[in-house]
Amino acid sequence: MEELRNRGQKRESRHRDTWDPFQLNPVGAEKEKKRTCFRIMQSFMAVLVGLLVLTSAVVSKGSLLTLVTLSSPYSLRSPTDRQFYLLLLMCIVVTPNLLVFLKCLWKCTFKSYVAPNMKTMAIMAVIEVLVAVGTAILVLIVMPQFDVLTNLFICGGVCILTSILQIVFRLPHQPWMTIFPVCSLILVLMGYALLAVDYYVRLSSHILEQDENCYMYVGIAIFTSLLISLNWWENSLQASNNIQEMLSKLDGSRDYMYLFTSLLRIAVTIGIYFLHYGLIANPRIDFAAFSHIKANALQVGLGLFFLQAFCSAACHWFGVVACKIHAVRMSFAFPVSLTGPTTLLVGLALFLTKAGNLDVGTHIVYVNYTPIDNPFLDFCAGLKKLQGSNTTSVVLLELSNSICRTSLNSHYALWPFSLLVLEGFCMWLGLIACTYYVWSMKVPRIERTSQLFVRRLYESAFINQSLLLNIKMKVKYPDSVDEAESCVIYLCATMWHETYDEMLKILTSMFRLDRYRGDPKHEHQNAFDFECHIYVDDGFQADGETGKKFVNPYVNDLIHVVTEVYRVFTNKEPDEVSIIETPYGGRLVFVLPEGNMLYIHLKDKQLIRNKKRWSQIMYMYYLLGWKGYIVKNPQKITRQNNPCRASLVSLDGQAFLLPNYDNDSKRKYISDENTYILALDGDTDFHPSAVILLVDRLRMYANVGAACGRIHPTGMGPMVWYQKFEYAVGHWLQKTAEHVFGCVLCSPGCFSLFRGSALMDDNVLKRYTTKSTRASEYVQYDQGEDRWLCTLLLQQGWRVEYNAASDAFTNAPQEFKEFYNQRRRWGPSTLANTLDLLHSGGETVKRNTSISMLYIFYQIFTVASSILGPASVTLMVAGAFQFVFGISGTLSIIIAVIPPIIYMLICFLTKTNFQLTIASIMSVLYAFLMTAAFFAIIGDMIKEETFITPTGIFLISMTVLYLITAILHPMECGLIIYGLMYFICIPSGYLLLTIYSLVNMNNVSWGTRESNKDKVEKKHRGVLCNQNCKLCCWDVSIQVTQETENLMLQQIQQAVSTNAPAAQTEMKEMTTQESQNCSENNKHAVENNKNVAKNTDDTKNPLSKHKDLDSYSEKSFSEGESSIERKDIIDDEDDSDSDNFTYDNQEEEEKEVVPESDWVRPVKDEFLKKLTYANLKRNLQEQIKYTLRNKNEEDLCEELVQMLTDTVNEELKDRVGPEDILSDSQLEELQDALNESARRILKTNRKKRLEARVKRAIERTLVAPQVEKLSEDENDFWKKLIERYLEPINDPKGHKEEVERELKSLRNKAVFLYFIVNVLWVVATFILEAIGSDLITIKIPKYLPNGTLSDEPLKVEPLSLMFLLSFAILLIIQFLAMLYHRVYTLIHVLAYRGSEKDYKEKDEDDEMMILENRLADGVVISGEDF
């Protein structure tokens, strides 16, 4: 209701000024807000991940301690059982190393690796051996000698070396924080001392089964803990910037290094195990006895082993997830730090609650002495009685027996147990103090695991200690926008015959991004600049009567859309508009509300090549080539005596021309790797978050050349429903599988982000400019340009990724004809590019680390499946005939084959429209058949009384798989309802469409967005009579146009009147004179309007001076004219008016030599509507509000708005109408009146410092659109670019005929290949069906619903079963890839929502607008300089 009221108030305000207050308000124009559901989900996931980390860590730690207790020589198990538990304990220590070995082996085998030098290899090998020795001795030899509580506490000592290194290298950020590692070292040493004292007290108190060797084991434990602490030596050295050269080399060769060192650690661990228990320990290992292990011991041991191995890996993975979703404190540091205390509390709780149920016998009588009153004495003495009991839990019994070896079982005093408790507290607190930095760590929004953790390896025996010590002390985090790695994004949309609503979507998206990025009240972590570029193909048309060139109706619609969207976002008209004539046509330049730029490039197909690929080449060369060149080579101009300080900046005695817009200057400090191009279609709808998520992928991985998002088709009707499910399945399963197993093969041009350096790489952009000359090139290059560009990137070694959380919406074909024509282009192009990639598969695998031979085989399998698609669908249709009509299998195959063959002949012999008509009719018939088959399959399962049939299993499994997949995409779950539509349209989409695409492969026209608007207008413009007469073989067309009628009238007039020539000459002279006068008046009006904008006080905004003088310095004069000498513009404020007047006169002279084409005037007139009475009032109000929006001057702003509005009303109310455009004299008078009113108000409120801002706002309100000219350099660039790559294609007729013959020949070859392969598949199936022998059928047991086995088995042909199995395997592989991708997509979304743009107001107290020019390398130009 509040929203309705706000809209109503705005409408009422507009209605006071005009009779047309109504406007469009596109969906999504409202300001973005953080969604509450995402906040709740983020908090829920943080709590859930934290609980999972804590639970898995506690279970891992508890199962390890239990297994150590069971393998202890003091346990109540048999020697054989203890040896078996020791073997499993050794396997636990080895498991993480084995996992690292397999991961590194995969990367080194299927991806690239760098071998380290021998010195680094030797150092790492020595360290890893020492760590492996310490771990093996402590876990396999020492810990079984201790009790379970000591084993829990002693693990905290592995942080001792890390504390020492922090103290030595002074790693804490602030000096006072050194107290943390110092306290950690002291606490650990105290813990070791208390451990020694505790065992001394145990021996003195004659605790059960304690011997003198315990001192030796205590010493070995301290020594091995020191060796184990070497495991994380890199963390301290990386944070201290020491031996960085070695560490940098190590980073590049970790895969190869870990491949070797993991094997070394496995060998050392196994060697120590066999050395001690095979040669030293008594009794020694007897492997023969393992065959006699009891089932109970086997079950307990294997259960503990798998539980510990799984929970350790899960704890490590969930810890990584916690860091990546920005829940370091809640979900990582807190649960990992509490692992030790929680394990102790859970163990004691189980002991206290379950120990009472143990039947330990009666009270024990002591003869020689009387012990203290200790209930544990009787309990511990009676445990041995339960050793052989089958009713007692083995784990509980052994843990109770181990606790009885502590001071709790003392006969003299219980206070020594406090030593053990104090030891545990010191060790735990020492670990927390050593890893203090974890609690204050900040993580970038998306970060690689290798940047968060030092080692990929976790230690399963010390899971909580390894997680805390392994996380990097120094994580690169952008504390501010200035420290973040900046990037520039060029949004490039290609347009061709888009409708008004489609243009509205793309413009709304661009304005949303402008609001997200540019609002100075807001700050966020996404350090990026952007420009919007729209390239309109065929943007001009010739007038049928005069032959003059004007913009076409689509460009007019685009101009109206820009104005409308600007009005929606700002409630005013566009402020600064420039119209520029270019060698390729024209350009419109807009300044978006927040200051970002929008360029609309109008292409003239008579001057530059048409179609999307050439538009892409056009903007890639312009944005990457030309703009990259000019920022690396700033334009030098001649040093003059008194250059204008508003347009020049001094650098080492030379003057450089400031760029017109700030992005060009910022580009100098942004590398090509951080220059991105966002390719868009003219109807794409997206939000800023979608762009940021794609930028994250390219920022995180340097080898990612392109990334695409999730494309959602929009529209209504059955064809759109089919495409919605098709797109969903393609993204859910196919694209995710490509992303996980290799690279995405196609990044669609409707919404994809490309890295500049990837496009500029060898054999990419240069190859992309190749003009098609052969038939195969027409198919591969021009029919699917996006896929070909990605193929070039993949072949050069770049990775292409898919981000499922980056959503974009685009219009899908809603008509059957348009859909078939679109897929007619996509199908052959997809096959051609995939075959090209497979053909160069060996070379691509060498260059591209993300593509392996397994992935090449996967693509071969998918291509083979697509080639066999028509035959598979034909056999499916045959099965449908068999199910529905009950005919035999052979006859059903014959009937199913006939329609495709007939349709193929139709496609060869008839025209396209007739082919599409037949296809639409056959699609409807096939849909009825598939619907009947669907219910027939269900009926067959009911009839057979089982669903365990090949068809039934396939149908049910596919349904379940798609349902699960849809549920895992909760935002798109509703698309599953279109699955039935997709199912019944399978014959149309995979049979008829394939035939249509192959047979019409020789047709290389675009096929979609064909419009007859221009043709109709051209056809009917000036036509008075148009009649056709057809008779037998005659076809006569009679047309009378207005031009013909005028010519006839002139001839008649000449014949009747002898004075006609004189009269005609006089009329021409009068018309010419009127035209000249009108032209001079218009030109004079423009110049006067310019003067109004220029003749302001000394408070003129420097930005306008920059822009004006840049334009002035770039003007080119024709030969024969004397160059205009630039006048001095001195710094004295008193002389500024006269200088400005001189400068304006010069600019007037310059304007006169700038010719205007015919199309410029109508476009300019459209933008002059901002100078109407009604628009001026609204524009002025909004401009004042925007200018003072962050000055905390709400009262002053309201007063200014009110008073200036009253001034406008006083000046214009009775002189002009609400829709009348103001004249130049009226604008000049109005500006003077407004400036005077503003000056009085500001003086009254003592806010004189804001006068410059307010006058600048008034000036922007009254400024008219400018007609500018390109600089000579850029003009020369476009001419040479067009000459070299983009000249309109005018192939000779002979070449066109030759290409047409080649295309038909290629079509025939492709159709023949498809036909032969599919016919062979169908014939093989037909023969097997015809033979029908039991020898060549596979018999599957048939189970009835009651679970009994039927006497008659199910018989299936081998080929059918092979096809079903292969298809099922492919879907299962894609399903598993989807699960993996879903998890990491969720992590990315949570990370983004956690660091989403936070709307915080900035306190800006700048008195004047400050312009920073990075070309000046730190020089700041402020208002004082002007």
Side-chain angles (χ1 to χ4, degrees):
M1 189 64 189
E2 186 68 24
E3 184 178 358
L4 293 174
R5 188 179 297 109
N6 291 336
R7 291 205 303 268
Q9 292 175 354
K10 292 180 180 179
R11 186 174 60 253
E12 286 291 336
S13 176
R14 294 193 302 267
H15 207 173
R16 296 190 188 99
D17 303 324
T18 179
W19 52 266
D20 187 12
F22 318 110
Q23 68 178 22
L24 291 176
N25 196 350
V27 178
E30 63 277 0
K31 181 168 286 191
E32 297 84 0
K33 296 180 181 179
K34 287 187 176 181
R35 296 194 223 174
T36 305
C37 60
F38 279 112
R39 291 181 178 181
I40 296 174
M41 182 181 70
Q42 186 180 10
S43 301
F44 172 76
M45 290 302 300
V47 174
L48 178 62
V49 171
L51 290 175
L52 291 173
V53 170
L54 180 61
T55 303
S56 57
V58 169
V59 174
S60 172
K61 181 69 72 174
S63 56
L64 174 77
L65 295 174
T66 303
L67 204 56
V68 170
T69 303
L70 290 173
S71 61
S72 172
Y74 303 104
S75 70
L76 303 179
R77 300 299 96 197
S78 64
T80 302
D81 290 347
R82 291 200 296 268
Q83 291 181 3
F84 174 66
Y85 293 138
L86 271 171
L87 179 63
L88 294 177
L89 191 61
M90 185 269 295
C91 293
I92 285 177
V93 177
V94 166
T95 299
N97 298 280
L98 182 61
L99 295 178
V100 171
F101 171 76
L102 294 176
K103 183 177 181 179
C104 295
L105 180 63
W106 169 269
K107 290 191 174 184
C108 292
T109 303
F110 298 108
K111 298 186 178 182
S112 63
Y113 67 90
V114 178
N117 57 45
M118 293 306 298
K119 180 181 178 181
T120 305
M121 193 78 171
I123 294 174
M124 290 298 299
V126 170
I127 294 175
E128 293 296 325
V129 167
L130 292 176
V131 173
V133 169
T135 304
I137 292 176
L138 180 62
V139 177
L140 300 180
I141 299 175
V142 176
M143 290 178 67
Q145 303 295 328
F146 294 156
D147 61 89
V148 64
L149 296 181
T150 303
N151 289 331
L152 175 63
F153 300 149
I154 201 175
C155 294
V158 297
C159 66
I160 183 170
L161 183 62
T162 302
S163 300
I164 295 173
L165 292 177
Q166 289 186 41
I167 298 172
V168 171
F169 294 113
R170 299 179 181 180
L171 297 183
H173 299 293
Q174 299 179 10
W176 68 268
M177 299 181 72
T178 310
I179 192 174
F180 289 107
V182 171
C183 291
S184 173
L185 181 61
I186 294 174
L187 289 169
V188 171
L189 293 177
M190 287 178 59
Y192 283 136
L194 290 170
L195 174 63
V197 173
D198 180 41
Y199 268 84
Y200 172 78
V201 173
R202 293 189 194 187
L203 286 175
S204 302
S205 304
H206 303 285
I207 301 299
L208 185 66
E209 296 179 344
Q210 302 290 348
D211 54 23
E212 297 291 340
N213 292 331
C214 63
Y215 292 121
M216 178 187 68
Y217 288 118
V218 170
I220 295 175
I222 297 174
F223 177 71
T224 53
S225 297
L226 186 62
L227 291 180
I228 295 171
S229 63
L230 288 170
N231 204 7
W232 303 280
W233 66 274
E234 291 180 62
N235 200 354
S236 302
L237 294 181
Q238 284 182 354
S240 65
N241 297 322
N242 288 308
I243 61 172
Q244 290 300 312
E245 182 179 358
M246 173 186 169
L247 294 176
S248 61
K249 293 180 180 178
L250 183 61
D251 285 336
S253 58
R254 286 190 183 274
D255 291 329
Y256 187 88
M257 184 73 68
Y258 286 144
L259 180 67
F260 175 75
T261 57
S262 59
L263 284 178
L264 196 60
R265 291 188 63 167
I266 292 174
V268 169
T269 304
I270 296 175
I272 291 177
Y273 169 76
F274 282 103
L275 178 65
H276 184 265
Y277 291 101
L279 300 177
I280 300 175
N282 191 18
R284 297 176 182 176
I285 303 175
D286 183 11
F287 289 102
F290 287 167
S291 59
H292 304 293
I293 295 178
K294 297 180 181 179
N296 187 27
L298 186 66
Q299 181 180 0
V300 171
L302 292 178
L304 289 173
F305 167 73
F306 288 112
L307 186 64
Q308 205 280 338
F310 174 78
C311 288
S312 298
C315 182
H316 177 262
W317 187 79
F318 284 123
V320 173
V321 171
C323 294
K324 289 190 174 183
I325 65 174
H326 294 188
V328 179
R329 290 187 182 180
M330 179 185 294
S331 304
F332 180 80
F334 186 71
V336 174
S337 300
L338 290 181
T339 298
T342 305
T343 305
L344 177 63
L345 293 176
V346 171
L348 291 177
L350 292 175
F351 173 75
L352 295 176
T353 55
K354 300 294 183 180
N357 299 328
L358 298 178
D359 186 11
V360 295
T362 58
H363 182 69
I364 299 176
V365 179
Y366 296 91
V367 179
N368 297 326
Y369 70 98
T370 302
I372 63 173
D373 186 13
N374 186 357
F376 286 98
L377 293 177
D378 296 340
F379 175 80
C380 295
L383 287 177
K384 288 190 176 180
K385 299 179 181 179
L386 304 176
Q387 182 175 0
S389 175
N390 294 327
T391 59
T392 304
S393 172
V394 174
V395 174
L396 180 61
L397 179 62
E398 293 297 339
L399 290 177
S400 301
N401 182 59
S402 181
I403 293 175
C404 288
R405 294 175 56 213
T406 65
S407 299
L408 285 177
N409 195 23
S410 174
H411 294 256
Y412 302 103
L414 289 177
W415 68 264
F417 184 74
S418 61
L419 295 175
L420 184 60
V421 175
L422 190 59
E423 172 203 345
F425 180 75
C426 289
M427 289 292 189
W428 176 74
L429 202 57
L431 177 65
I432 301 302
C434 179
T435 56
Y436 68 95
Y437 52 87
V438 177
W439 295 86
S440 59
M441 186 182 70
K442 293 182 179 180
V443 181
R445 176 169 57 244
I446 180 169
E447 189 61 277
R448 304 179 66 173
T449 306
S450 59
Q451 299 298 324
L452 294 174
F453 294 89
V454 180
R455 299 170 57 87
R456 296 175 186 169
L457 180 66
Y458 65 91
E459 300 295 331
S460 58
F462 318 100
I463 185 63
N464 55 328
Q465 292 86 359
S466 66
L467 284 178
L468 289 174
L469 294 171
N470 196 27
I471 198 164
K472 283 190 174 182
M473 296 182 188
K474 181 188 282 187
V475 176
K476 295 180 180 179
Y477 179 79
D479 294 327
S480 66
V481 174
D482 295 334
E483 297 179 10
E485 193 173 16
S486 299
C487 67
V488 60
I489 306 172
Y490 295 110
L491 279 68
C492 300
T494 55
M495 282 191 176
W496 189 58
H497 293 177
E498 273 74 14
T499 64
Y500 190 95
D501 291 336
E502 291 171 343
M503 296 176 185
L504 198 63
K505 291 180 180 179
I506 185 68
L507 266 301
T508 303
S509 300
M510 290 179 173
F511 275 71
R512 275 197 300 253
L513 186 61
D514 170 69
R515 181 174 59 194
Y516 177 83
R517 167 61 185 88
D519 194 340
K521 291 189 298 183
H522 303 157
E523 57 182 14
H524 53 82
Q525 300 174 2
N526 307 311
F528 71 94
D529 298 288
F530 80 96
E531 290 179 358
C532 300
H533 294 261
I534 297 176
Y535 291 79
V536 183
D537 270 316
D538 192 15
F540 296 91
Q541 67 180 15
D543 185 84
E545 298 178 0
T546 63
K548 295 181 179 181
K549 182 175 68 175
F550 298 100
V551 296
N552 63 17
Y554 297 102
V555 177
N556 288 325
D557 287 346
L558 181 58
I559 293 173
H560 294 156
V561 169
V562 173
T563 306
E564 191 70 33
V565 175
Y566 202 105
R567 190 180 297 124
V568 168
F569 275 76
T570 64
N571 201 29
K572 60 187 179 69
E573 308 297 314
D575 290 325
E576 300 178 17
V577 181
S578 299
I579 305 171
I580 305 174
E581 295 185 59
T582 61
Y584 56 81
R587 181 190 300 173
L588 306 179
V589 183
F590 299 87
V591 180
L592 296 179
E594 301 298 340
N596 299 290
M597 303 305 300
L598 168 63
Y599 302 84
I600 297 178
H601 304 263
L602 308 177
K603 294 173 58 179
D604 186 350
K605 66 180 180 181
Q606 305 297 330
L607 303 176
I608 195 170
R609 287 184 193 174
N610 212 19
K611 291 193 176 180
K612 183 176 180 179
R613 178 159 74 97
W614 306 113
S615 294
Q616 291 178 331
I617 293 170
M618 180 179 171
Y619 66 65
M620 288 177 189
Y621 266 92
Y622 174 56
L623 300 174
L624 300 177
W626 168 249
K627 287 204 170 188
Y629 170 77
I630 61 172
V631 298
K632 294 178 176 64
N633 300 276
Q635 179 184 358
K636 296 183 179 181
I637 61 175
T638 305
R639 175 86 180 201
Q640 300 188 14
N641 293 330
N642 292 296
C644 176
R645 299 179 64 189
S647 60
L648 302 178
V649 63
S650 177
L651 284 176
D652 299 329
Q654 285 187 319
F656 289 81
L657 183 67
L658 279 172
N660 286 335
Y661 304 109
D662 198 35
N663 278 351
D664 290 341
S665 62
K666 293 179 180 178
R667 174 79 181 276
K668 180 179 177 64
Y669 297 89
I670 298 175
S671 63
D672 294 331
E673 286 76 13
N674 292 321
T675 301
Y676 308 135
I677 287 183
L678 182 64
L680 302 167
D681 278 351
D683 59 354
T684 305
D685 184 15
F686 62 92
H687 282 78
S689 59
V691 180
I692 302 303
L693 291 172
L694 292 184
V695 171
D696 286 342
R697 303 303 303 180
L698 272 67
R699 273 180 168 169
M700 185 172 65
Y701 297 104
N703 66 330
V704 176
C708 62
R710 167 70 164 96
I711 310 301
H712 300 264
T714 59
M716 291 294 293
M719 291 310 307
V720 178
W721 301 341
Y722 171 84
Q723 291 173 85
K724 283 187 175 183
F725 190 80
E726 181 193 32
Y727 273 70
V729 172
H731 286 86
W732 291 350
L733 299 175
Q734 296 173 11
K735 265 198 177 354
T736 54
E738 291 177 352
H739 173 93
V740 172
F741 298 126
C743 288
V744 175
L745 297 187
C746 179
S747 188
C750 58
F751 189 72
S752 294
L753 190 69
F754 293 90
R755 190 188 299 274
S757 58
L759 296 173
M760 299 165 70
D761 200 1
D762 297 341
N763 298 325
V764 180
L765 184 53
K766 190 71 174 179
R767 178 97 184 272
Y768 197 57
T769 61
T770 304
K771 176 186 172 184
S772 303
T773 56
R774 297 180 299 173
S776 58
E777 294 175 351
Y778 278 95
V779 174
Q780 183 180 359
Y781 297 175
D782 296 332
Q783 299 296 287
E785 66 287 333
D786 306 326
R787 186 173 287 270
W788 183 42
L789 181 59
C790 291
T791 301
L792 296 177
L793 291 173
L794 295 176
Q795 290 174 338
Q796 283 300 111
W798 293 96
R799 176 172 172 79
V800 181
E801 290 195 346
Y802 164 61
N803 191 311
S806 180
D807 296 305
F809 302 84
T810 184
N811 280 19
Q814 302 186 39
E815 301 295 333
F816 186 85
K817 175 183 178 180
E818 190 178 5
F819 171 74
Y820 259 53
N821 283 328
Q822 182 194 68
R823 300 310 169 92
R824 183 254 302 161
R825 288 189 293 109
W826 288 3
S829 173
T830 299
L831 183 61
N833 281 282
T834 307
L835 292 177
D836 183 18
L837 186 65
L838 297 180
H839 178 70
S840 62
E843 188 65 25
T844 303
V845 169
K846 293 179 183 178
R847 289 190 174 188
N848 199 319
T849 58
S850 299
I851 294 180
S852 63
M853 288 307 300
L854 287 178
Y855 182 70
I856 295 295
F857 292 145
Y858 167 79
Q859 289 297 334
I860 292 174
F861 182 75
T862 56
V863 170
S865 300
S866 64
I867 292 176
L868 290 174
S872 304
V873 174
T874 302
L875 294 177
M876 181 187 296
V877 172
F881 279 118
Q882 189 174 1
F883 273 113
V884 175
F885 301 107
I887 58 180
S888 63
T890 54
L891 183 59
S892 64
I893 293 177
I894 294 174
I895 297 175
V897 166
I898 293 175
I901 294 177
I902 294 176
Y903 182 67
M904 185 170 62
L905 294 175
I906 290 174
C907 290
F908 269 107
L909 301 176
T910 62
K911 293 184 178 180
T912 303
N913 288 335
F914 186 74
Q915 299 172 28
L916 293 172
T917 303
I918 297 299
S920 61
I921 296 173
M922 294 180 66
S923 298
V924 174
L925 297 177
Y926 273 128
F928 285 126
L929 178 62
M930 294 300 295
T931 304
F934 175 76
F935 291 103
I937 292 173
I938 298 176
D940 181 70
M941 287 189 290
I942 298 175
K943 178 182 177 181
E944 295 288 340
E945 297 183 343
T946 180
F947 67 89
I948 308 178
T949 63
T951 307
I953 293 176
F954 179 78
L955 182 63
I956 293 176
S957 61
M958 290 303 99
T959 303
V960 172
L961 185 142
Y962 285 136
L963 279 174
I964 296 175
T965 304
I967 292 172
L968 293 176
H969 295 75
M971 305 299 291
E972 308 169 29
C973 189
L975 297 177
I976 195 67
I977 62 176
Y978 302 117
L980 182 60
M981 181 72 186
Y982 180 81
F983 174 77
I984 65 176
C985 290
I986 285 178
S988 177
Y990 291 90
L991 178 61
L992 301 180
L993 180 56
T994 302
I995 296 173
Y996 176 78
S997 301
L998 288 174
V999 177
N1000 290 277
M1001 187 186 296
N1002 59 315
N1003 183 2
V1004 292
S1005 63
W1006 201 247
T1008 55
R1009 294 195 182 276
E1010 298 288 353
S1011 175
N1012 295 323
K1013 183 186 294 187
D1014 300 336
K1015 298 179 181 179
V1016 170
E1017 290 186 2
K1018 183 177 180 181
K1019 181 178 179 180
H1020 294 283
R1021 184 181 286 117
V1023 176
L1024 302 178
C1025 177
N1026 187 16
Q1027 296 293 333
N1028 293 324
C1029 179
K1030 295 182 180 180
L1031 181 63
C1032 296
C1033 58
W1034 294 91
D1035 189 356
V1036 181
S1037 177
I1038 302 174
Q1039 187 178 80
V1040 179
T1041 64
Q1042 184 68 45
E1043 184 179 355
T1044 306
E1045 184 185 26
N1046 293 339
L1047 182 60
M1048 293 176 61
L1049 291 175
Q1050 289 178 5
Q1051 293 176 353
I1052 294 172
Q1053 187 177 6
Q1054 290 176 0
V1056 174
S1057 176
T1058 58
N1059 297 329
Q1064 187 175 4
T1065 303
E1066 184 179 355
M1067 182 175 294
K1068 286 185 178 180
E1069 291 177 355
M1070 292 176 60
T1071 305
T1072 304
Q1073 184 66 27
E1074 287 181 2
S1075 176
Q1076 291 177 354
N1077 293 337
C1078 181
S1079 177
E1080 290 178 0
N1081 290 336
N1082 289 338
K1083 185 178 296 185
H1084 181 67
V1086 171
E1087 300 306 326
N1088 286 340
N1089 185 35
K1090 180 66 180 178
N1091 291 340
V1092 172
K1094 299 288 292 184
N1095 292 332
T1096 55
D1097 294 339
D1098 56 306
T1099 55
K1100 184 183 296 293
N1101 190 298
L1103 284 175
S1104 63
K1105 292 187 178 182
H1106 282 239
K1107 183 174 180 182
D1108 297 339
L1109 200 58
D1110 287 347
S1111 176
Y1112 169 81
S1113 62
E1114 292 168 2
K1115 300 298 179 182
S1116 60
F1117 299 94
S1118 59
E1119 295 183 1
E1121 291 184 342
S1122 60
S1123 61
I1124 301 174
E1125 182 179 358
R1126 184 178 300 178
K1127 303 295 182 181
D1128 290 347
I1129 301 178
I1130 60 178
D1131 296 332
D1132 296 339
E1133 297 179 358
D1134 296 336
D1135 300 332
S1136 60
D1137 291 340
S1138 61
D1139 289 328
N1140 288 339
F1141 179 77
T1142 305
Y1143 175 77
D1144 293 339
N1145 291 338
Q1146 295 170 358
E1147 193 168 39
E1148 287 181 12
E1149 296 180 16
E1150 293 176 309
K1151 291 289 184 180
E1152 292 177 0
V1153 301
V1154 179
E1156 290 186 7
S1157 297
D1158 299 323
W1159 65 271
V1160 174
R1161 171 54 58 182
V1163 174
K1164 186 175 181 179
D1165 291 342
E1166 186 66 33
F1167 292 115
L1168 282 174
K1169 293 179 181 178
K1170 67 170 286 189
L1171 300 179
T1172 62
Y1173 174 31
N1175 289 336
L1176 272 177
K1177 288 177 59 179
R1178 185 174 69 250
N1179 294 347
L1180 181 62
Q1181 294 169 359
E1182 297 300 325
Q1183 195 71 256
I1184 296 298
K1185 292 177 183 177
Y1186 180 81
T1187 301
L1188 303 178
R1189 66 194 181 283
N1190 55 348
K1191 291 298 178 183
N1192 298 323
E1193 300 287 352
E1194 290 81 6
D1195 296 337
L1196 176 62
C1197 182
E1198 292 180 5
E1199 183 180 357
L1200 271 173
V1201 169
Q1202 183 63 40
M1203 294 301 295
L1204 294 181
T1205 303
D1206 293 342
T1207 301
V1208 173
N1209 291 332
E1210 291 174 2
E1211 293 290 329
L1212 304 177
K1213 187 172 184 180
D1214 298 329
R1215 300 171 59 185
V1216 295
E1219 302 297 328
D1220 294 339
I1221 298 176
L1222 271 65
S1223 64
D1224 301 310
S1225 58
Q1226 291 171 332
L1227 287 172
E1228 186 175 357
E1229 294 174 1
L1230 179 61
Q1231 184 173 14
D1232 293 338
L1234 290 174
N1235 287 338
E1236 181 62 26
S1237 298
R1239 188 187 64 80
R1240 290 198 308 268
I1241 297 170
L1242 294 173
K1243 185 176 180 179
T1244 303
N1245 289 273
R1246 297 181 180 180
K1247 298 293 183 180
K1248 189 71 175 177
R1249 60 186 177 84
L1250 299 177
E1251 185 176 352
R1253 283 180 173 269
V1254 176
K1255 287 188 176 182
R1256 174 59 179 159
I1258 295 172
E1259 177 190 353
R1260 289 167 63 92
T1261 303
L1262 302 179
V1263 69
Q1266 304 299 310
V1267 179
E1268 299 179 0
K1269 187 176 182 181
L1270 282 183
S1271 65
E1272 292 183 3
D1273 291 339
E1274 185 175 348
N1275 192 69
D1276 183 65
F1277 156 74
W1278 283 113
K1279 288 181 179 179
K1280 290 181 178 178
L1281 177 66
I1282 294 172
E1283 178 184 357
R1284 189 172 301 178
Y1285 300 114
L1286 298 175
E1287 278 188 342
I1289 299 176
N1290 295 313
D1291 292 330
K1293 184 177 180 180
H1295 176 73
K1296 294 181 179 179
E1297 293 176 352
E1298 182 181 355
V1299 169
E1300 187 175 353
R1301 288 193 299 269
E1302 290 182 1
L1303 284 170
K1304 289 184 178 180
S1305 175
L1306 179 64
R1307 183 270 311 269
N1308 296 335
K1309 294 177 182 177
V1311 171
F1312 179 77
L1313 175 64
Y1314 259 79
F1315 182 78
I1316 290 298
V1317 172
N1318 284 273
V1319 165
L1320 289 176
W1321 182 265
V1322 173
V1323 168
T1325 306
F1326 177 81
I1327 292 175
L1328 292 175
E1329 184 72 25
I1331 294 176
S1333 175
D1334 293 340
L1335 298 177
I1336 57 174
T1337 58
I1338 299 176
K1339 298 179 181 179
I1340 301 176
K1342 177 181 177 182
Y1343 289 89
L1344 300 176
N1346 57 9
T1348 60
L1349 182 64
S1350 176
D1351 297 333
E1352 182 180 357
L1354 294 172
K1355 299 179 181 180
V1356 185
E1357 298 85 3
L1359 287 179
S1360 301
L1361 184 62
M1362 183 184 70
F1363 172 77
L1364 289 177
L1365 289 177
S1366 60
F1367 186 72
I1369 292 173
L1370 179 64
L1371 280 180
I1372 291 173
I1373 292 174
Q1374 293 177 345
F1375 181 77
L1376 295 177
M1378 182 272 301
L1379 293 177
Y1380 178 87
H1381 193 266
R1382 278 279 86 193
V1383 172
Y1384 283 92
T1385 299
L1386 177 62
I1387 293 173
H1388 193 181
V1389 170
L1390 292 177
Y1392 171 75
R1393 297 301 175 184
S1395 61
E1396 195 176 4
K1397 178 179 178 180
D1398 192 11
Y1399 293 91
K1400 297 179 180 179
E1401 293 191 2
K1402 295 174 64 177
D1403 185 15
E1404 293 188 2
D1405 295 327
D1406 53 330
E1407 307 296 339
M1408 297 286 290
M1409 301 185 71
I1410 296 176
L1411 175 65
E1412 293 186 9
N1413 182 1
R1414 295 195 175 184
L1415 284 175
D1417 195 15
V1419 176
V1420 178
I1421 303 174
S1422 64
E1424 298 177 355
D1425 296 318
F1426 301 106

